[in-house]
Amino acid sequence: MKNKPLSSARPDFSLSFLLVVLLSPFTFSAQAQQTPEPPQSTTPSAVSLTLKRAIELALQNSSDIQVAKLQASLANRSAMITKSQFLPNLYAGSGAGYTLGIPETPGGRAPALFSVTYTEQVFNEPLRGQGKELQEQAKSQKILLEDARNNVIVRTASTYLELAMVRHSLELLRKEQDSADKILAVTQQREKENFELPVAVTKDQLTRARVVQHILQLEGRQDELEVVLRGQTGFPESTQIDVTPEDLPGIAEQEGANLVALAMQGNVALKVAQSDVRAREFRLTGEKRGYYPTLQLVSVYSLLGRFNNFDQFFKTFERNNVNAGIQVQVPIFSAQTKANIALAQVNLDVAKAALANKKTEISAAVRVKTRRLRERDAAKEVARLELQLAQQDVSVFQSQFAEGRINVREVEKARLEENNRWLAYLDANFQRQQAQLDLLQTAGQLDKVWQ
């Protein structure tokens, strides 16, 4: 058997290679069509919120407000228990018992197979006074519902405004870090050229380290505020909330000295104290009328049975018995009524004293918080002027750098100072907003701000 020459295999190999090259684009395109696309990366959704919208969502999703509503409903239901005694009440009952001697129950009534009782209070002033007291306390719980709303507004507004300040501060600090890096690089270069001492490099490193530390602190605070704001507004954890710096309406400055008068009308704690005084007055009035007679409508139907020996003690036996009428009680001497009046009087005196103290406290608090707001205004103005001065210095240094009179390190130091002034201004503005929220809550004007 003879071997074929090697040259005879080359045409077959060349033809196969040519076919592979010609068909490879179609093969790759078919594979590309069959290969599934990679899953798209899911990015958290972003929501842009205004301060007003954030407060609206917080009021809708607040658990504190839901608890306050339940407490108000509970107080209202409790007040209805006393009031129900002045409404028709119908009871039915039945029982069985053995009697030896005169047929009667332990309560003094005739034993019956079936009975229906109707009662309704018509005139009972102590009981009516207790009912009015409970109704006024139910109104007080509705006032506390307003207090819960105010607390939600303050918490949400404070969180929103602080988050906006922190994010703005982070932007400035990252620019400040860039400036610190440039300053450190120049100083290190000059130190290598023996134009600077090592202590200058250490100082610039310390400046940069402080900036990095501040950035990390604010990033942690930003995460905390985002969690709180998402929880208050009801957004899921994956939602990115975008906030914008806003100023509160200037109602506090516009009202001026009238805030004390507004606080006397709108402060929640003062409203609760006034409601407590009214409740105590209702109770005292009712207890004083405890010397009046009481009148009650009473009706009883009884179905009697012969096995209780009615025939042996009564001449006639009537199976169906109906008694209807009024029950009047006239107090001749009642030590309990006197004690109740004395207790109600003391409770009223305590409530009036608490109301007077609350008025004095709120009046002083409004004046103190008004002065504090003015101080924050002054601090904000100082910070604004310092920022303006730092910005002017940056412009001067940039002009001198363009003329070649100073180096880049001096320009970056000026920018570093400008960023510091910016941070101070943002902090002063937030402190003013906090003082304004506190004043508006004390004056009872929070709801009017966003109406």
Side-chain angles (χ1 to χ4, degrees), residues 181-450:
D181 290 338
K182 293 178 181 179
I183 293 173
L184 178 60
V186 172
T187 305
Q188 289 175 340
Q189 182 64 32
R190 289 175 59 84
E191 190 265 340
K192 291 179 181 179
E193 297 173 356
N194 295 325
F195 289 108
E196 294 286 353
L197 296 175
V199 66
V201 176
T202 304
K203 289 180 179 180
D204 292 342
Q205 288 175 342
L206 177 60
T207 300
R208 183 185 180 281
R210 286 173 176 170
V211 173
V212 173
Q213 181 187 19
H214 198 181
I215 289 175
L216 294 175
Q217 291 173 348
L218 287 184
E219 286 177 346
R221 183 58 180 167
Q222 177 183 231
D223 292 338
E224 295 175 1
L225 293 172
E226 288 176 351
V227 171
V228 173
L229 188 59
R230 279 195 294 265
Q232 290 173 342
T233 54
F235 287 107
E237 295 182 359
S238 60
T239 303
Q240 175 67 31
I241 298 179
D242 295 333
V243 297
T244 55
E246 295 185 26
D247 287 330
L248 298 175
I251 185 173
E253 294 81 1
Q254 295 174 4
E255 298 296 340
N258 294 332
L259 277 177
V260 176
L262 291 174
M264 293 301 156
Q265 299 176 359
N267 184 270
V268 174
L270 190 58
K271 288 181 179 180
V272 172
Q274 292 171 346
S275 178
D276 188 45
V277 170
R278 289 192 297 269
R280 304 303 180 184
E281 288 176 345
F282 287 138
R283 182 63 178 268
L284 178 60
T285 301
E287 296 297 346
K288 285 183 177 180
R289 294 176 180 177
Y291 293 112
Y292 296 172
T294 61
L295 188 148
Q296 182 181 14
L297 297 179
V298 180
S299 178
V300 180
Y301 165 77
S302 300
L303 177 64
L304 306 182
R306 289 183 180 275
F307 59 85
N308 287 113
N309 302 325
F310 286 104
D311 294 340
Q312 299 179 12
F313 296 93
F314 300 97
K315 292 182 179 181
T316 59
F317 172 75
E318 180 65 38
R319 180 176 295 274
N320 297 292
N321 294 267
V322 177
N323 297 311
I326 61 174
Q327 181 178 353
V328 180
Q329 291 183 347
V330 180
I332 298 175
F333 176 78
S334 176
Q336 183 178 0
T337 300
K338 184 178 180 180
N340 290 338
I341 293 174
L343 178 61
Q345 182 65 57
V346 171
N347 287 332
L348 177 59
D349 293 339
V350 171
K352 287 183 177 179
L355 175 60
N357 291 337
K358 186 61 67 175
K359 287 182 177 179
T360 303
E361 177 185 343
I362 291 173
S363 178
V366 170
R367 289 183 172 87
V368 169
K369 292 175 181 181
T370 301
R371 288 195 299 269
R372 185 177 301 169
L373 179 59
R374 292 174 181 172
E375 292 173 1
R376 300 301 184 190
D377 283 335
K380 178 184 176 182
E381 181 64 17
V382 170
R384 186 189 68 81
L385 292 175
E386 289 179 346
L387 172 61
Q388 183 178 354
L389 182 60
Q391 290 173 339
Q392 293 174 353
D393 290 340
V394 170
S395 300
V396 172
F397 277 97
Q398 287 177 343
S399 300
Q400 293 178 354
F401 176 74
E403 296 172 358
R405 299 168 56 185
I406 60 175
N407 57 24
V408 68
R409 185 174 63 171
E410 301 300 326
V411 177
E412 295 301 330
K413 284 185 177 180
R415 289 177 178 171
L416 199 64
E417 181 64 22
E418 179 189 7
N419 287 333
N420 289 331
R421 293 302 96 200
W422 255 116
L423 293 173
Y425 173 78
L426 292 176
D427 183 68
N429 185 50
F430 177 69
Q431 294 297 330
R432 177 191 175 277
Q433 291 171 337
Q434 287 287 94
Q436 191 175 5
L437 280 173
D438 195 13
L439 177 59
L440 290 172
Q441 184 178 18
T442 304
Q445 303 300 308
L446 277 175
D447 285 337
K448 296 181 180 179
V449 171
W450 284 280

Side-chain angles (χ1 to χ4, degrees), residues 18-132:
L18 181 61
L19 290 175
V20 170
V21 172
L22 293 175
L23 294 176
S24 60
F26 300 98
T27 304
F28 291 156
S29 61
Q31 291 179 354
Q33 292 177 0
Q34 295 176 0
T35 303
E37 296 181 357
Q40 297 180 354
S41 60
T42 58
T43 58
S45 58
V47 177
S48 298
L49 277 184
T50 63
L51 179 57
K52 182 177 181 180
R53 181 56 180 165
I55 291 175
E56 291 175 352
L57 292 174
L59 291 176
Q60 294 174 6
N61 296 278
S62 173
S63 59
D64 293 339
I65 293 179
Q66 298 300 324
V67 171
K69 288 181 179 179
L70 291 175
Q71 290 176 345
S73 178
L74 178 62
N76 191 35
R77 297 299 181 183
S78 300
M80 287 298 298
I81 294 177
T82 304
K83 185 179 179 181
S84 64
Q85 299 187 43
F86 291 90
L87 300 174
N89 295 276
L90 190 65
Y91 307 94
S94 178
Y98 172 78
T99 59
L100 178 63
I102 299 176
E104 65 177 357
T105 62
R109 295 173 54 181
L113 299 175
F114 177 77
S115 64
V116 178
T117 305
Y118 170 84
T119 62
E120 180 180 355
Q121 292 284 349
V122 178
F123 190 81
N124 190 328
E125 289 303 301
L127 189 60
R128 191 181 299 275
Q130 294 177 20
K132 289 184 177 180

